[in-house]
Amino acid sequence: MNRVSSLAGFLALDFLRHRLMVFLLLLFPLLIIFMAVQGAPDQPVPIHLDGDLVVPMPAPEEIQVLSFTMTAVALVGALTGFFTGFQLKSLTMRLEVLGVKPWQVGLAQAIVLVGVDVFVVAFAGNVSRFWIEPVAPGWHYGALLLGTFVFTLFGLILARVADSRALGLNVILAVAVLDTAFLENPVLSRRFTEGWLDILPAHRPVQLLYRAGFTGQDLWGVDAAAAVLYSLVLSGILIAVMRIERIP
Amino acid sequence: MTSGAVLRAQEVTFGYNRNHPILRNLDLEVDAGEIVGISGENGSGKSTLLKAIIGLLKPQQGTIRVRGRAGYSPQELLLFDHLTVRENFRVFGRAAGLPRARIDHDADSLMERLGFTKYRETKIGELSGGTAQKLNFAISLLGSPEVLVLDEPYQGMDHASYVAFWEMQQALRRHGKAIIVVSHLIEDEKRFTRTLHLVNGRLQACAQKGCPYCGEGPP
Amino acid sequence: MNQTFALAHSFLLDMLRQRTVVFSCFILPLVILWSTWWVTADLPMEFRIDSGRIIQSSMIDIHLVTGALTAMAITAGLFAFLVTAEARRVADPLKVAGYSGFAVAAGPFTAILGVLLVAALASFGLATALDVPQQPLGVLWSVVLTTLTYAAVGALIATVYPRVMEGSFIVLLLSFIDLMFVSNPMGEGVYMQSWAYWLPGFWATQIALESGFLATDTVLVKATALSLMYALALGLLSVLLRLRPPAFLRRAMRAA
């Protein structure tokens, strides 16, 4: 564990010294939430959640803030997963030669990423509470954390398959923004209640986020379990991709 | 393995595409105290051979045995860009299981011998290519490995560092280390105890005058 | 001129063989454009433009028009950024090899212009296939203006900070914030604020909104002039910074 903790420390140091990090972890979520507040339409809309639960006419600003807060944390999670994964792709080789096992590298990386995810969820979650006081605050952060984890795993998988950082960046921006800020946004999207959204990474965390924000109902239900299951599936895919890479 | 051999590769076959092997029934034995130079055309598989020796690639056939720890200096720079020189020594030294005091001591000694002590607190992204390459090589020496596997280790180094590099190799050789170096430089051949050429997936010794692979004449 | 076209051809081949370029500059923007039409809620919107005229339409149609501009801004900004960054990298070896300074500057520019005009037509074609605007030529013109302005933005960013990943991020972020939000009537809290007029995409968006939803134009001349001046100013600034970078910029460019 000494090796793992030491490696995690250095990975964190290398990550935090990157030029973009201050922007990514602090300014970027603020910018996105600001856009949500400024871009909220006047017209309230009811939210039809899964399981026929209807939230009647919440304030549009609150919907936008919740939606875009999830966008912010999802983007940060995906981007940090991608950047660290991409860098470690080549460095892992050298670490293995020195005696570090692949699972130790993975664990060290996971420690760093979980730390970043928790930080950005706490930060963005707290900022969002200037505009909305969630009915279930614990689940508010829980939903954001689940969304961040899912997208972090997505970023890690992308790091393994993308051949350039710019390509990965663009894919992440496209997927995360389209999913969280658009498709899963009941104000902006006319597809919000369609069943196929279930396969998207943000669907269950967003459903949970709205429940936590507006109703406090059915929190210990399908959404949380499905989001955890989704994360496990993505983890399995990540491990499979890493194994396939090692086969010449 | 024979008593002095620290590395033995027997009938090694490897290819990224199994239908097109790059290494074919390759044999190699290296004794302690040898400096073996390996040369070959671009794309002949030299880096692949070194990666197989170090254990990063698993041969589809054959075996490779290394006695003791191996140190590896890759052709490309594999360093943490936003960590300093000293921090890079520490992260790779800790990966090797070395205590911090030993890492710092070895790092100071290596930096002094290769002439880049003044960059100790400089981040890798701010170093020149040659200095970064010195660090890339120096890290392979952490933990005093019995076998050194070096892939074009002095690209971009200045002459003084190049001379210092070879002095270090000779000192390591006298201490019974085995060193395998991939090099394109003809003048290095006199520094090797043995020169091998990787041709058609196999290693062959430089046989005679006029050997095309030694650059003494046309093929 | 032979040298210029030869270089333009080489740059094009080099760029278009890269998956990142094809995806980021051409596929991604079209996905954005199509998804704005496919996903957007059918809610009524009412807003005014700079001339004071009021537009009433569905959010789907508004988003489609602004989505087309956003798609072109991303395409133009990213492509110009990538070509300019690459041109910076190889400029000196090309000159040593015998290319004139003019060819080295004009070759990439020609490559950018040619590709982007084709992309603009494609973007316009897709948008009008999904919904026909009131004044198609006006919308086409707004797409072209956005293309020129954001090509200048991309070239400027590459001149100052040619690192691919960070530069791409800046271009994407700027085009999103500008065209999907601030210059866009969707961004109700910031739309038509005085500072919003300074964004690269503002005037082209005004033309697009008027041409998309009204039968006559009032802003076309003014908006065209301002948009072209903006593009020209950014372009000249890029050239000036390239030829005579101030000390602080030389340091920043070396670090990049």
Side-chain angles (χ1 to χ4, degrees):
Chain A
M1 281 314 284
N2 257 347
R3 258 188 185 147
V4 171
S5 58
S6 176
L7 184 56
F10 282 112
L11 286 179
L13 199 55
D14 186 66
F15 171 78
L16 290 170
R17 282 182 184 165
H18 199 286
R19 243 176 288 239
L20 266 185
M21 283 317 129
V22 171
F23 174 75
L24 202 60
L25 294 180
L26 295 174
L27 298 176
F28 195 53
L30 283 177
L31 178 67
I32 293 181
I33 296 174
F34 170 77
M35 282 167 58
V37 172
Q38 295 297 319
D42 295 327
Q43 197 173 346
V45 292
I47 307 177
H48 295 263
L49 297 176
D50 291 351
D52 297 325
L53 182 63
V54 178
V55 182
M57 305 303 185
E61 192 176 81
E62 292 179 346
I63 301 174
Q64 287 288 76
V65 165
L66 282 185
S67 179
F68 279 54
T69 304
M70 183 60 86
T71 305
V73 300
L75 273 172
V76 173
L79 289 172
T80 51
F82 178 75
F83 289 156
T84 57
F86 200 85
Q87 183 193 35
L88 271 181
K89 246 194 324 194
S90 50
L91 283 170
T92 302
M93 170 170 70
R94 190 154 217 182
L95 292 167
E96 280 183 38
V97 169
L98 289 163
V100 183
K101 304 272 186 300
W103 70 264
Q104 290 175 315
V105 177
L107 185 55
Q109 188 181 14
I111 291 171
V112 174
L113 290 174
V114 166
V116 169
D117 288 352
V118 168
F119 173 83
V120 79
V121 161
F123 178 69
N126 285 340
V127 169
S128 69
R129 290 176 70 176
F130 279 104
W131 289 277
I132 174 169
E133 192 46 52
V135 172
W139 279 103
H140 174 74
Y141 293 102
L144 290 174
L145 205 54
L146 280 170
T148 315
F149 280 157
V150 166
F151 274 90
T152 301
L153 288 164
F154 173 69
L156 286 169
I157 293 170
L158 197 57
R160 291 283 158 182
V161 301
D163 52 15
S164 81
R165 289 193 295 177
L167 179 64
L169 169 73
N170 295 337
V171 169
I172 285 169
L173 285 173
V175 171
V177 171
L178 273 175
D179 186 5
T180 59
F182 205 18
L183 281 161
E184 308 283 359
N185 186 324
V187 173
L188 296 178
S189 169
R190 67 179 186 269
R191 310 274 170 198
F192 182 72
T193 52
E194 292 181 10
W196 64 270
L197 292 187
D198 235 342
I199 61 169
L200 295 180
H203 183 68
R204 293 296 179 177
V206 165
Q207 292 282 311
L208 192 58
L209 190 65
Y210 286 134
R211 287 179 205 278
F214 297 118
T215 71
Q217 292 177 29
D218 296 332
L219 294 169
W220 291 97
V222 174
D223 292 328
V228 170
L229 187 61
Y230 203 108
S231 301
L232 290 173
V233 168
L234 287 182
S235 304
I237 294 173
L238 177 63
I239 293 169
V241 167
M242 286 165 72
R243 283 260 156 94
I244 290 169
E245 274 183 343
R246 298 177 77 84
I247 301 170
Chain B
M1 289 199 273
T2 56
S3 58
V6 291
L7 164 73
R8 190 169 191 205
Q10 269 185 301
E11 295 180 0
V12 170
T13 297
F14 176 86
Y16 295 101
N17 179 339
R18 281 168 188 263
N19 296 325
H20 295 101
I22 297 168
L23 308 174
R24 303 163 197 260
N25 289 322
L26 182 144
D27 294 310
L28 172 66
E29 198 165 296
V30 180
D31 291 336
E34 279 205 277
I35 303 180
V36 176
I38 296 179
S39 67
E41 290 178 357
N42 292 337
S44 58
K46 303 183 294 298
S47 295
T48 302
L49 170 60
L50 296 195
K51 286 181 183 170
I53 289 172
I54 208 74
L56 291 171
L57 297 172
K58 198 165 174 311
Q60 279 117 16
Q61 281 174 38
T63 56
I64 299 176
R65 286 199 201 91
V66 176
R67 192 164 70 196
R69 188 204 286 262
Y72 175 53
S73 176
Q75 191 177 17
E76 59 276 27
L77 291 174
L78 292 181
L79 302 164
F80 286 91
D81 283 342
H82 298 97
L83 297 184
T84 62
V85 168
R86 178 177 287 293
E87 285 165 348
N88 267 275
F89 272 117
R90 284 182 181 158
V91 65
F92 289 112
R94 293 295 288 140
L98 301 175
R100 173 128 154 198
R102 165 99 187 261
I103 296 168
D104 287 349
H105 174 266
D106 287 357
D108 287 341
S109 168
L110 288 165
M111 282 191 278
E112 194 173 327
R113 290 174 82 175
L114 288 167
F116 63 105
T117 305
K118 65 180 179 181
Y119 297 109
R120 185 190 294 138
E121 305 302 337
T122 308
K123 296 195 195 92
I124 303 314
E126 295 162 19
L127 293 177
S128 69
T131 307
Q133 183 55 34
K134 290 184 203 178
L135 174 62
N136 200 40
F137 159 68
I139 283 172
S140 67
L141 294 168
L142 287 173
S144 300
E146 276 73 39
V147 180
L148 268 184
V149 178
L150 311 174
D151 197 347
E152 301 193 45
Y154 32 72
Q155 278 189 79
M157 280 193 200
D158 52 62
H159 183 70
S161 303
Y162 173 79
V163 169
F165 168 84
W166 281 112
E167 285 170 1
M168 286 170 75
Q169 302 315 304
Q170 295 301 331
L172 288 166
R173 187 185 155 211
R174 284 193 293 274
H175 278 94
K177 310 292 185 192
I179 302 160
I180 303 165
V181 184
V182 162
S183 169
H184 287 296
L185 297 180
I186 301 299
E187 53 266 29
D188 284 346
E189 286 183 13
K190 50 184 178 294
R191 303 181 193 268
F192 302 141
T193 56
R194 210 174 8 135
T195 303
L196 298 172
H197 308 299
L198 187 55
V199 181
N200 293 327
R202 305 190 74 166
L203 287 169
Q204 61 189 55
C206 177
Q208 54 210 325
K209 198 171 164 58
C211 169
Y213 305 108
C214 293
E216 291 192 61
Chain C
M1 285 312 283
N2 269 346
Q3 282 194 338
T4 302
F5 286 122
L7 270 181
H9 179 250
S10 299
F11 271 106
L12 270 182
L13 272 185
D14 183 45
M15 286 288 123
L16 295 177
R17 282 179 182 164
Q18 297 176 49
R19 259 190 297 196
T20 303
V21 174
V22 171
F23 175 80
S24 308
C25 299
F26 304 105
I27 296 175
L28 177 64
L30 289 179
V31 166
I32 290 171
L33 199 176
W34 179 81
S35 64
T36 55
W37 169 79
W38 190 68
V39 176
T40 306
D42 189 6
L43 295 173
M45 278 185 73
E46 183 179 294
F47 58 93
R48 70 173 183 84
I49 55 174
D50 180 64
S51 61
R53 299 169 82 185
I54 305 288
I55 293 174
Q56 291 172 321
S57 189
S58 159
M59 198 189 281
I60 299 176
D61 298 330
I62 308 290
H63 227 184
L64 179 62
V65 167
T66 54
L69 299 185
T70 308
M72 265 329 293
I74 292 172
T75 298
L78 272 182
F79 193 70
F81 171 83
L82 292 168
V83 171
T84 307
E86 183 68 1
R88 260 196 71 178
R89 197 176 66 82
V90 299
D92 289 339
L94 286 173
K95 284 180 194 160
V96 167
Y99 282 97
S100 68
F102 176 79
V104 170
F109 175 77
T110 309
I112 292 169
L113 207 60
V115 167
L116 292 183
L117 285 176
V118 170
L121 285 172
S123 182
F124 170 74
L126 179 58
T128 46
L130 297 171
D131 191 23
V132 181
Q134 287 278 339
Q135 302 179 65
L137 286 181
V139 173
L140 176 59
W141 183 234
S142 69
V143 172
V144 169
L145 283 178
T146 305
T147 305
L148 291 173
T149 317
Y150 266 86
V153 166
L156 178 63
I157 293 173
T159 302
V160 172
Y161 197 70
R163 291 182 78 128
V164 171
M165 200 186 61
E166 289 91 330
S168 304
F169 190 64
I170 294 170
V171 168
L172 280 167
L173 203 58
L174 180 61
S175 49
F176 248 108
I177 291 174
D178 180 5
L179 290 152
M180 273 292 186
F181 186 58
V182 180
S183 300
N184 189 325
M186 301 275 297
E188 295 196 16
V190 291
Y191 176 66
M192 297 295 284
Q193 297 286 316
S194 52
W195 57 268
Y197 283 55
W198 289 94
L199 288 175
F202 180 81
W203 289 111
T205 308
Q206 291 289 299
I207 297 175
L209 291 171
E210 193 174 63
S211 302
F213 302 100
L214 299 173
T216 55
D217 60 70
T218 55
V219 297
L220 188 66
V221 173
K222 172 183 169 187
T224 296
L226 288 168
S227 209
L228 284 175
M229 270 168 49
Y230 202 116
L232 196 61
L234 290 179
L236 285 174
L237 185 60
S238 299
V239 172
L240 195 65
L241 289 174
R242 184 82 183 96
L243 294 175
R244 295 255 185 279
F248 77 90
L249 195 58
R250 276 199 298 272
R251 281 194 296 274
M253 282 151 93
R254 268 200 301 272

